[in-house]
Amino acid sequence: MQRLRFSSLLPQFRCRLFAAAQSKASAATSTTSGAAKLDSLKSLGLTDKLNFVNGERCDGNGAAFDNVYPASGHKTAAVRESTASDIDKAVLASKEAFTKWRETSPLERSLKLGEAARLIRARLQHLAAVEVLDTGKPIWEASADIEACADTLQMFSGLAHTLAGEHVHLPGGSFYYTRREPFGVCAGIGAWNYPFQMAVWKSAPALACGNGLVFKPAPLTPLGAVQLAEIYAEAGLPAGLFSVVQGGPDTGRALVRHPDIAKVSFTGGVAGGQAVAEAAGRLIRPVTLELGGKSPLIIFADADLDEAVRGAVLANYLCQGQVCSNAARVFVERRILDDFVDRLLRAVAGLRVGDPMLTETAIGASISSQHAERVLGYIGSAEAEGAKRLFGGDRVEVPGLETGHFLRPCVLANCSDGMRAVREEIFGAVLTLLEFDTEAEAVARANATEFGLSGGVFTRDLARAHRVIGELQAGSLYINTYNSYPPGVPFGGYKMSGFGRENCAESLRSYSQVKSVYVECAGIQLPTVP
Ligand code: NAD
């Protein structure tokens, strides 16, 4: 989900040619031998010391866990987990840096975040290659994601100036004013599908407000966050302000419960979100939760069908289908179903599954073998319940990357709302086709889910488009497009998909708290006691 700036290129899933990125990246990802590959990765400085505390890379003091390149299964790094004492050091260093940072002017914060955005753009090819190594997504998508991250930072750099209080006159010359103050040190915890973006989406508003932030990436994608930490340090942010700790749920739990963490922003599954909200609730800490989804896309008979097909492709197959806002439940008005399906199958057949580092690749590798198995398990369960596999849903062997986990994008027909694969978030490239007859029916069925992250509608009827959008119970909606989030568009969920918004001015405010100050200028009048 770039949140796609290259939308003009998307219909064909063509990508800009990042030749340099590709050659650098392919040097790093040669599949010849594990040792040679690891050496080239080390020469790029990607895999050593993946914690970042007090302004420098370091290793955690906990157990080591292996990180692998999803496309080949080769080990890229032995990541040392952060212990409770490492987390303590990171939080205390951030707290120390925060005391200086909070006193800076909005202009200074703006300049430094703007410089970080410039550095991201200057290193776009390198960072995109790192994103591919982290995730196995195709290089064209990684490049678009990183560019969008620079745009987001640029936006928050500009918004730093807008964080202001208010001033209100009262009788007798008295008045009150409000201040928007940072919380202190915040914790950011990320999922594995957009690792660099999550580090940016959480840190940019937090830092723009004057906070510090300790970020924990998902253990499957540990490489990118430390690159961002180096960029912030180079852009002149105080040492320690932005820190990176590594590990899984235990590290996340320890971070959320640290006594000096003042706010938590979590992106992940519902179960993790519930655990984080409970822990933060006991400590009365504000939380932002960006959780999973099972979103609907409703295609009416009057829609431009080629556009609707492209929308359905964007809604299901970016990042190997591992996108929280994906609309895997594609509701199609019955009388256009056959025509829609013909066109959809032609489009999906054109999506090349392959080496993520090649620019012609549309679909890369699943994040892990367990995840690929899980996706295949859902496809199998749908077939057992009566669904018909019209396309894909099988493994693809990619030459030179035989040990990676590549799945052909899947289209399932004959689906019904009660099927497990239709109800639960698969987080894979599995589109389920559902037929409907009336608008009211489509809306009711679209809303019949515990989730409420996203949704979309394709129609030429403007009145109907807005009416349906008004009825859909979700936070991030689309008319005649899907999965595009330029900086500034609020992103977040309704219902079990979470609360709070990212990528917008509102998220900036959510990293600050309001202090109100009453100033008496007319003397205190005690009430007269009869
Ligand atoms: P996950 O919940 O397993 O893990 C997410 C992160 O939380 C990881 O860093 C993990 O180590 C940490 N974590 C897990 N349990 C924790 C706990 N009890 N306390 C503290 N930290 C904990 O999710 P995942 O498998 O990494 O990601 C997939 C899920 O993320 C999907 O459900 C997807 O929809 C969701 N997601 C949501 C958004 C969004 O913006 N709404 C974006 C991307 C992914």
Side-chain angles (χ1 to χ4, degrees):
M1 198 163 39
Q2 165 249 88
R3 312 293 211 127
L4 295 158
R5 236 178 96 173
F6 298 156
S7 51
S8 57
L9 299 169
L10 282 170
Q12 296 77 29
F13 269 90
R14 272 194 252 116
C15 100
R16 259 159 89 160
L17 295 175
F18 286 110
Q22 199 186 330
S23 66
K24 195 168 190 179
S26 53
T29 57
S30 148
T31 53
T32 47
S33 85
K37 188 163 97 44
L38 202 56
D39 281 351
S40 55
L41 285 171
K42 280 185 176 151
S43 72
L44 286 176
L46 298 179
T47 58
D48 293 337
K49 298 185 175 167
L50 293 167
N51 287 238
F52 196 94
V53 177
N54 213 2
E56 57 187 20
R57 278 179 179 236
C58 55
D59 271 327
N61 288 296
F65 63 92
D66 286 350
N67 176 252
V68 298
Y69 175 40
S72 70
H74 283 130
K75 177 173 159 183
T76 59
V79 187
R80 295 287 301 277
E81 212 169 61
S82 307
T83 59
S85 112
D86 296 329
I87 291 170
D88 196 43
K89 271 193 212 136
V91 175
L92 292 182
S94 187
K95 194 173 168 189
E96 173 76 26
F98 159 72
T99 58
K100 292 180 221 140
W101 185 243
R102 67 175 298 177
E103 296 304 327
T104 55
S105 65
L107 178 64
E108 186 177 339
R109 295 201 291 276
S110 173
L111 287 171
K112 289 185 172 157
L113 293 180
E115 173 62 6
R118 191 191 67 75
L119 289 169
I120 290 176
R121 285 196 189 98
R123 289 175 200 169
L124 196 148
Q125 298 171 355
H126 169 77
L127 293 170
V130 174
E131 180 83 356
V132 175
L133 289 171
D134 249 348
T135 61
K137 69 176 68 166
I139 186 79
W140 74 269
E141 229 187 298
S143 305
D145 289 349
I146 300 293
E147 188 171 5
C149 287
D151 294 347
T152 298
L153 248 174
Q154 197 79 60
M155 177 188 73
F156 282 113
S157 152
L159 285 176
H161 289 272
T162 66
L163 201 73
E166 53 185 14
H167 176 276
V168 176
H169 285 288
L170 295 169
S174 297
F175 60 95
Y176 76 81
Y177 66 97
T178 61
R179 300 160 53 115
R180 280 213 166 252
E181 297 188 343
F183 284 105
V185 182
C186 305
I189 296 179
W192 44 259
N193 53 345
Y194 290 88
F196 196 79
Q197 182 207 69
M198 276 173 217
V200 168
W201 276 25
K202 294 182 191 312
S203 61
L207 300 175
C209 285
N211 299 283
L213 188 112
V214 179
F215 184 75
K216 188 196 86 63
L220 288 168
T221 51
L223 303 178
V226 75
Q227 303 279 326
L228 179 65
E230 286 180 331
I231 284 172
Y232 280 144
E234 220 176 305
L237 269 68
L241 190 70
F242 177 80
S243 302
V244 178
V245 295
Q246 298 281 358
D250 287 345
T251 313
R253 271 188 279 273
L255 180 58
V256 170
R257 290 177 188 163
H258 189 285
D260 286 315
I261 288 294
K263 175 196 159 93
V264 182
S265 177
F266 174 89
T267 299
V270 171
Q274 285 169 325
V276 165
E278 274 172 34
R282 273 197 294 279
L283 296 160
I284 318 292
R285 284 177 189 160
V287 188
T288 299
L289 293 179
E290 295 283 359
L291 308 180
K294 189 76 188 180
S295 302
L297 180 64
I298 305 177
I299 297 168
F300 286 99
D302 69 340
D304 176 329
L305 276 201
D306 289 326
E307 285 288 292
V309 163
R310 289 182 196 117
V313 167
L314 288 179
N316 281 279
Y317 302 123
L318 292 172
C319 195
Q320 297 73 248
Q322 303 159 156
V323 181
C324 52
S325 53
N326 269 5
R329 294 186 297 141
V330 178
F331 292 90
V332 184
E333 195 166 342
R334 197 178 307 275
R335 62 197 160 100
I336 53 151
L337 184 69
D338 291 347
D339 193 0
F340 178 80
V341 169
D342 282 351
R343 295 178 201 218
L344 176 69
L345 293 180
R346 277 202 298 278
V348 180
L351 302 176
R352 184 191 292 223
V353 181
D355 182 342
M357 290 296 181
L358 299 179
T359 51
E360 65 265 26
T361 294
I363 301 209
S366 297
I367 189 73
S368 68
S369 72
Q370 293 88 336
H371 191 67
E373 281 304 322
R374 184 172 176 273
V375 174
L376 291 171
Y378 271 108
I379 295 168
S381 86
E383 286 182 296
E385 289 182 81
K388 187 168 170 211
R389 191 145 53 98
L390 297 185
F391 188 86
D394 54 337
R395 286 184 182 273
V396 179
E397 195 165 292
V398 174
L401 295 170
E402 289 80 4
T403 44
H405 300 279
F406 295 85
L407 301 182
R408 215 181 306 275
C410 182
V411 178
L412 293 176
N414 277 4
C415 295
S416 56
D417 297 354
M419 287 177 177
R420 209 178 124 233
V422 175
R423 284 183 287 111
E424 298 178 10
E425 183 183 40
I426 300 176
F427 219 49
V430 184
L431 182 159
T432 54
L433 286 163
L434 301 154
E435 300 138 54
F436 72 91
D437 292 302
T438 68
E439 180 183 315
E441 175 205 345
V443 168
R445 289 169 61 195
N447 283 334
T449 167
E450 63 182 359
F451 295 112
L453 189 52
S454 292
V457 55
F458 275 81
T459 175
R460 286 192 171 100
D461 180 340
L462 270 183
R464 171 150 68 189
H466 295 293
R467 189 169 62 236
V468 169
I469 290 293
E471 291 297 317
L472 289 180
Q473 297 160 356
S476 303
L477 279 305
Y478 298 92
I479 297 173
N480 293 339
T481 186
Y482 209 87
N483 264 347
S484 177
Y485 297 96
V489 176
F491 184 76
Y494 280 19
K495 303 198 285 189
M496 296 291 269
S497 293
F499 47 77
R501 293 293 178 268
E502 291 194 310
N503 194 40
C504 60
E506 198 166 317
S507 50
L508 185 83
R509 286 190 288 276
S510 78
Y511 279 98
S512 67
Q513 50 195 337
V514 176
K515 179 180 274 178
S516 63
V517 184
Y518 183 106
V519 181
E520 181 57 66
C521 293
I524 298 171
Q525 305 291 318
L526 284 180
T528 316
V529 181

